[in-house]
Amino acid sequence: MRRLLVLFFLVAAAFAGETPTVPQCFKIHALIKADAEHYWADWTNACPYTIDSVYVMIGFRDRLHNRLGDGVWGLHFITQGTHRVTRFSTPRGVDGFEYVDIRKVTTNTEEALR
């Protein structure tokens, strides 16, 4: 019986592995300009758990890929497997953007708002 118990724990530990962090498994498939003041974000919670909070730090660029400014959007209580397309507004002072790119995905509020 004792051998079975030890074997069970060894097998369970092997299957458990490490849980991926949010930046590793929260996926942003596309960021697409909608109009002069809005863009669409196609994202998925591919993490094997519910995410309490995630912040996506993004950059806006003009036609020549010059940086115009930065922004952050936050999502909260995202259940496993959720897939959405969300419309976001650009921050003030970002006029004439053509491209939106991902700078970083984080769960740290302070880091996102710096």
Side-chain angles (χ1 to χ4, degrees), residues 21-36:
T21 64
V22 171
Q24 293 172 320
C25 57
F26 181 81
K27 302 296 179 196
I28 298 142
H29 308 290
L31 296 172
I32 302 168
K33 179 179 178 177
D35 57 39

Side-chain angles (χ1 to χ4, degrees), residues 5-17:
L5 190 57
V6 169
L7 181 61
F8 171 77
F9 283 115
L10 289 174
V11 170
F15 280 108

Side-chain angles (χ1 to χ4, degrees), residues 48-78:
Y49 51 84
T50 296
I51 300 172
D52 291 331
S53 296
V54 64
Y55 303 95
V56 180
M57 300 158 47
I58 55 174
F60 295 90
R61 298 186 181 273
D62 66 11
R63 183 169 54 104
L64 300 174
H65 294 276
N66 297 315
R67 176 164 260 139
L68 298 173
D70 299 318
V72 175
W73 43 275
L75 300 169
H76 307 283
F77 196 69
I78 309 163

